[in-house]
Amino acid sequence: MTFDTQEVLPEQMQFRLDKLRTLEEEGKSPYLLTSCRVTHHAEDIVQDFDKLEETEVRVAGRLMGKRGMGKVSFADLLDRTGTIQIFSRKDNLGEESYGAWQELDLGDLVAVSGQVFRTKTGEVSIRNAEWTLLAKSLRPLPEKFHGLRDTDVRYRKRYLDLMVNPEVRDTFIKRSRIIQLIRRELDGRGYLEVETPLLNTIAGGAAARPFVTHHNALDLDLFLRISPELYLKRLIVGGLERVYEIGRNFRNEGMSTRHNPEFTMLELYEAFGDYHTMMDITESLISKAAEEICGGYEIDYQGTPISLAPPFRRISMIDAVREHTGLDFAVLTSDEEAREAASAYGLEDVGPAMPWGEVLNACFEEYAEDKLIQPTFLIDYPIEISPLTKIKEGTKGRLTERFEIFIGGREYGNAYSELNDPFDQRRRFADQQRRHEAGDEEAQLPDEDFVESLEYGMPPTGGLGIGIDRLVMLLTNQPSIRDVLLFPTMKPLD
RNA sequence: GAUCCACUAGCUCAGCCGGUAGAGCAUCUGACUUUUAAUCAGGGGGCCUGGGGUUCGAAUCCCCAGUGGAUCACCA
């Protein structure tokens, strides 16, 4: 349905369109206005009422409510800060202006000038002395009381969702504040914010299937990045020492309440740090965000009470599995022993060639992961699933200095002491390549240029990645990642 | 990719065992000079997501498709 065709419009739209045509015929088209001066915003007027009482202000926004009483009427004007009531009186505005005001439709954009006062029921209001139509709303708004519920429409037409559901606007304001806070915190620690390529010739730094695109001039297939990791570490080699990037990653995988094909990651690298440094930063970022966004460390996520007060618990993967299954991978040291014990315990899909570390990880994911409700650093991951991570001393090369942080049974971040041995890195890539050739589409492909950079020498470095969308979900108590993405990926309607 | 659920007026939702399509808000007409989801009286508004089928008759039962949601799988 468009306004360009001759087709019959629903009556509410026809009424609105007729009003616009009349204004245009009278030379009063609102679309001719090019600017609008505003002195105050709705929320400021309510907050500073004592100072502003009886002063003249000018506000602008969308008309969200009308309560007509004959020769007097009330309206609610919504701007980016909130709603303010407009009080209009025929005696003040005059016959013509008051009549035109009454003709306005919900959704119209208007500017209003007048004095600030309090009505006799106590509502801070503006006494309408002069007003201007800034834009006509040609379509009826969703209902004022129930708002817009239909998730399909909410995600596809987010502007409507933002207009009529104040809590949605609040969520996205908080998202912005969380990212702002992270930047402030890292900038304060001497980090440099950088940008690295989204178009990659090798999609590295994570285990995931990439999106493929094509560069015409170079006649070259390119991949949308699945992680900025290998570029950021090149910057550490280059001597920038502390770098971070907040940006989009793309992974060609299934969608769920926790997965969107494009999502926002924070990745940071600190030369001369290690995974302990990264734990401190993680704790600091998350707890400070909770304080600032939620007003304290104690939060509720979808009915589960969670304390984000530092320090967070630290437990090794082996200990976590032992705690929840009784299986002790410190004793089950051969691949075969591990497989047999896990199978006997009930773990399904234990492949005949599955190495020790993968069995350990599978046990963790199956039996322990969803038990980690309070924030927990799960540390010391097996080498088989950590191809970019430095080996932990005293583990005979089986474990690495890596952690993931779990809250409410979900992963929020991943960090390690970065592998800086070029020979070892080359071996690990070769191992990954063998897996890729064996059919594992998510195994990482070798990036020889990255290994070459390591040959110039990369200092011992700590690296960290945090899923920003999930963090925002946690701190704004949203059940789905789509509720913290302004425009989540949707199938087209046609 | 699999399974289950949903789709009815601009919005939020009823609609039972198959028998002429309903409510609230919004909208239109009228009344009303301090309302708060204003109130009162009256009116209009429907491709029941789309396509097949069963039936004298389908919003309702069956099949297929579309979109969304949840769970699972993959994954962060």
Side-chain angles (χ1 to χ4, degrees), chain A residues 23-66:
Chain A
L23 287 171
E24 286 173 337
E25 281 161 21
E26 293 169 351
K28 297 176 185 165
S29 168
Y31 301 127
L32 297 175
L33 293 174
T34 54
S35 69
C36 172
R37 184 183 58 90
V38 170
T39 64
H40 292 78
H41 288 96
E43 197 54 39
D44 309 331
I45 294 170
V46 175
Q47 297 290 322
D48 298 338
F49 174 75
D50 293 344
K51 280 183 229 155
L52 291 172
E53 187 169 11
E54 295 308 321
T55 52
E56 177 96 5
V57 297
R58 184 171 172 83
V59 296
R62 194 179 292 276
L63 199 63
M64 297 301 285
K66 282 171 76 181

Side-chain angles (χ1 to χ4, degrees), chain A residues 131-398:
Chain A
W131 65 275
T132 311
L133 178 63
L134 302 174
K136 188 72 190 160
S137 178
L138 296 174
R139 293 177 183 269
L141 255 40
E143 198 213 11
K144 60 183 170 184
F145 190 58
H146 297 93
L148 182 64
R149 284 284 120 77
D150 186 327
T151 47
D152 193 7
V153 181
R154 285 184 49 225
Y155 299 148
R156 287 181 198 279
K157 302 179 193 255
R158 184 68 90 181
Y159 50 92
L160 286 179
D161 196 25
L162 290 165
M163 250 181 243
V164 301
N165 295 327
E167 67 283 1
V168 171
R169 184 172 46 229
D170 188 52
T171 296
F172 287 104
I173 291 171
K174 282 180 175 164
R175 180 182 172 114
S176 173
R177 286 173 54 204
I178 289 166
I179 292 171
Q180 207 176 10
L181 172 152
I182 290 169
R183 286 207 166 97
R184 196 200 313 140
E185 181 71 15
L186 293 175
D187 293 346
R189 290 172 183 252
Y191 275 78
L192 188 72
E193 182 170 10
V194 298
E195 294 172 278
T196 62
L198 271 69
L199 295 176
N200 293 177
T201 48
I202 298 169
R209 291 169 63 181
F211 286 94
V212 188
T213 186
H214 188 79
H215 189 283
N216 289 336
L218 296 177
D219 188 22
L220 177 69
D221 279 341
L222 290 169
F223 304 96
L224 299 188
R225 74 169 174 202
I226 57 175
S227 158
E229 170 153 356
L230 302 184
Y231 284 104
L232 292 172
K233 285 199 276 204
R234 284 173 171 91
L235 298 180
I236 295 296
V237 171
L240 296 183
E241 291 193 3
R242 295 181 182 198
V243 295
Y244 73 95
E245 178 163 11
I246 296 172
R248 220 64 68 82
N249 288 356
F250 306 85
R251 299 190 185 174
N252 204 342
E253 283 154 358
M255 294 165 64
S256 76
T257 50
R258 292 169 292 278
H259 300 85
N260 195 68
E262 52 180 307
F263 62 101
T264 300
M265 281 278 284
L266 161 69
E267 285 212 11
L268 60 92
Y269 293 84
E270 181 170 328
F272 316 115
D274 63 5
Y275 78 149
H276 295 288
T277 321
M278 295 300 111
M279 282 187 242
D280 294 342
I281 291 178
T282 305
E283 233 163 41
S284 171
L285 289 177
I286 293 178
S287 61
K288 281 184 180 168
E291 265 187 302
E292 204 166 310
I293 302 300
C294 310
Y297 296 136
E298 309 306 317
I299 67 164
D300 176 280
Y301 183 69
Q302 301 293 303
T304 305
I306 290 170
S307 172
L308 297 175
F312 300 161
R313 186 187 183 204
R314 301 177 187 201
I315 183 173
S316 73
M317 186 182 276
I318 288 178
D319 287 345
V321 169
R322 189 195 297 119
E323 194 174 283
H324 290 98
T325 66
L327 297 175
D328 189 353
F329 280 77
V331 176
L332 303 161
T333 50
S334 77
D335 293 348
E336 202 180 340
E337 281 175 307
R339 286 195 295 263
E340 278 172 13
S343 290
Y345 188 79
L347 186 69
E348 291 169 15
D349 301 326
V350 181
M354 199 185 255
W356 177 86
E358 286 186 18
V359 179
L360 170 59
N361 186 54
C363 285
F364 167 73
E365 288 180 354
E366 185 65 26
Y367 304 115
E369 180 168 356
D370 62 359
K371 310 286 195 308
L372 302 182
I373 303 303
Q374 297 307 315
T376 303
F377 290 113
L378 187 81
I379 65 172
D380 301 344
Y381 274 60
I383 191 169
E384 292 93 333
I385 58 167
S386 311
L388 301 166
T389 311
K390 196 174 270 194
I391 288 164
K392 186 180 173 76
E393 268 196 288
T395 65
K396 297 174 185 155
R398 317 194 72 161

